[in-house]
Amino acid sequence: MLVKKPAGNKKKLSSPAPQALWEKMDGGRLLTNEAGCHAWVSEKNFGRVISGKVAEGDPLFAELSAGGFVRGRMDLEGLAAKWRTRNAHLSYGPGLHILVLTLRCNHKCLYCQSSAAGEGAKKTDMSLKTALKSVDFAFSSPSPVITIEFQGGEPLLNWGVLTAAVKHARKKAAASKKELKLALVSNFTLMTEEKARFLLENEVSICTSLDGPADLHNRNRIYAAGNSHAGAVKWLKYFQKKHGDQVPEYRIFKSSALLTVSRYSLSRHKEIIDEYTGLGLEDIFVRPLAPIGYARGLWEKIGYTSVEFTAFYGKCLDYILELNRRGVVIREKMAAMMLEKILNFREPGYLDARCPCGAAIGQIAYNYNGDLYTCDEGRMVGWEGDDIFRIGSVFESTLKQALSSPAARACVVSSNLEAQPDCSRCAYKPYCGVCPVFNYEAQGSLWGNMRSNDRCRLFKGVFGVLFSKLRNAGDRKILEKWTVKQ
């Protein structure tokens, strides 16, 4: 906000500053600024603000001054520190490295986005040579923390290479003095006690998919050889128990699960959340489906609009907050990550909602053959025959060459919200991010068109739900606790 010089003995008045952004909400306006501060004003007070009729002695003047909305009263050092904290990742280099150990999978999920091939497919496994070279490439990143995530297909189908890659990564971490985090995403159908023991002893965090009760999960995640839900639940319980029985030799992480929301989920929010809490899971990620990969071809059957998802998300958050008030430990992860930005001015590592997005500069996807992509979604587009998001190969490229590639540069430029006409004046800009892959798949260009972009509308809907909850003192108290959970 601009502060006008007083005329004679009149008190100072204020008017909006160029850095102030606003969004209309029920009963008033949400104000935000580049530092990520936010404030609410009633519609009446908003009129006073933009017309310069808020005097210095007014309580509203003091409130807006504290949030960095009044020029001449801004703590520039403090606001700059908040901005630096939120954007520190820009100087680190890619920290997440996704190794696709195989394209083979024994599931036929309706919404599959991983470009999976049949279990008997040939020449779709990552070789040992490629896996070791991929680990070496990952450690060439200047990031002080390296996260290697093993995905597929179903990564347990290439168990020998997985174990070799884990051991090699541990050696590289010891030699480089970098912090290493290892993660596995599996459907658990091929899990055994022996494999579980190796993963636990090597401190590999473990995640599976859980879409809700058995009938819903099995409808989404088709497993011809058995009951997909039963296998997921069995091993979730196993790893939950192991976490409760910690040993001094190594750290056992809590197992986690991923929810993918299909059209079949929209009327069953309580059942889905109860499935998670019943298994003792303390996090649920209400993750929207994207029209990428197989999901795009079935969108009319399993997809939904941003309005439908926002309504579902709001119901989920209402129920989760109700459970919290009853003493049940459960949080929604998208909310927790967004709240890290909104309340704590910290970047939580949610690469889909960064500015610029995490493509290449935050993550790299390593295909089974060593090809490098800006992200796993970009790799999926490549599997469909379009290599627009390919940035190199572990056998031909250095990290500098990959990050300087046309694809990497294009993703950075197109996901810079300052250059997106609609995003540059959006109140949610300090907390949001554009996905070039979504734009390309849904709208035919990396830039997309935000005014007709369903992902943009979906994120605006989620932010609207979150900020409405933050206005309620009781809900805010619960939500503030979510940001400090590890």
Side-chain angles (χ1 to χ4, degrees), residues 3 5 43 55 83 85 128 184 224 260 297 437 449 454:
V3 177
K5 292 183 179 180
E43 201 63 42
W83 189 94
T85 299
L128 177 60
L184 170 72
T260 300
V437 178
N449 183 336
D454 216 44

Side-chain angles (χ1 to χ4, degrees), residues 293-320:
Y294 295 158
R296 185 170 62 171
L298 288 173
W299 193 254
E300 292 300 317
K301 180 180 179 181
I302 64 176
Y304 37 77
T305 66
S306 58
V307 173
E308 289 173 312
F309 179 82
T310 299
F312 174 77
Y313 185 83
K315 291 176 183 177
C316 287
L317 204 59
D318 283 341
Y319 186 51
I320 291 169

Side-chain angles (χ1 to χ4, degrees), residues 317-318 321-322 325 468-482:
L317 204 59
D318 283 341
L321 289 169
E322 178 186 330
R325 286 189 284 270
S468 69
K469 298 302 179 188
L470 287 173
R471 296 183 72 178
N472 179 286
D475 290 343
R476 187 183 183 100
K477 187 175 181 180
I478 295 171
L479 294 173
E480 287 175 342
K481 294 179 180 178
W482 291 3

Side-chain angles (χ1 to χ4, degrees), residues 111 113 220 259-267 286-291 295 298-313 334 438 454-455 457-458:
Y111 50 65
Q113 296 180 23
N220 283 342
L259 162 66
T260 300
V261 177
S262 72
R263 172 165 290 279
Y264 308 131
S265 312
L266 298 182
S267 63
V286 182
R287 190 174 57 148
L289 185 61
L298 288 173
W299 193 254
E300 292 300 317
K301 180 180 179 181
I302 64 176
Y304 37 77
T305 66
S306 58
V307 173
E308 289 173 312
F309 179 82
T310 299
F312 174 77
Y313 185 83
M334 185 189 297
F438 180 97
D454 216 44
R455 183 182 184 274
R457 288 193 288 257
L458 186 149

